[in-house]
Amino acid sequence: MGRSMAEKEILLKQEDINLDSTHKTCVSFLSDYSDCYLFSLVTKSDVTNKGCPVAFFITNSESSFTI
């Protein structure tokens, strides 16, 4: 099973999924002066009982429309 399939299975079993934003930790690939935001979807692992990142995305906006 590929890595993305394993993450998908973990994600589909969860009731709670958290969105974490880490702003200005990335350099924008669009411009040298643009802000860039890293978002992570995190859920609890059944195996470790700790946070397990299941998806990431990068954007130049923190607006709810983008998310």
Side-chain angles (χ1 to χ4, degrees):
M1 178 182 333
R3 176 82 175 140
S4 61
M5 288 301 294
E7 292 163 342
K8 182 178 177 180
E9 284 187 20
I10 292 169
L11 186 58
L12 291 174
K13 290 192 283 184
Q14 300 303 315
E15 292 181 20
D16 296 322
I17 301 168
N18 300 293
L19 178 66
D20 179 47
S21 171
T22 310
H23 63 282
K24 297 184 183 179
T25 59
C26 307
V27 177
S28 176
F29 50 88
L30 299 174
S31 166
D32 292 339
Y33 304 105
S34 296
D35 289 337
C36 190
Y37 304 92
L38 171 65
F39 288 91
S40 306
L41 287 179
V42 181
T43 189
K44 190 165 80 170
S45 168
D46 294 336
V47 177
T48 63
N49 213 25
K50 295 183 179 182
C52 176
V54 292
F56 301 95
F57 60 100
I58 298 171
T59 181
N60 63 348
S61 174
E62 283 187 306
S63 72
S64 60
F65 179 77
T66 301
I67 298 167

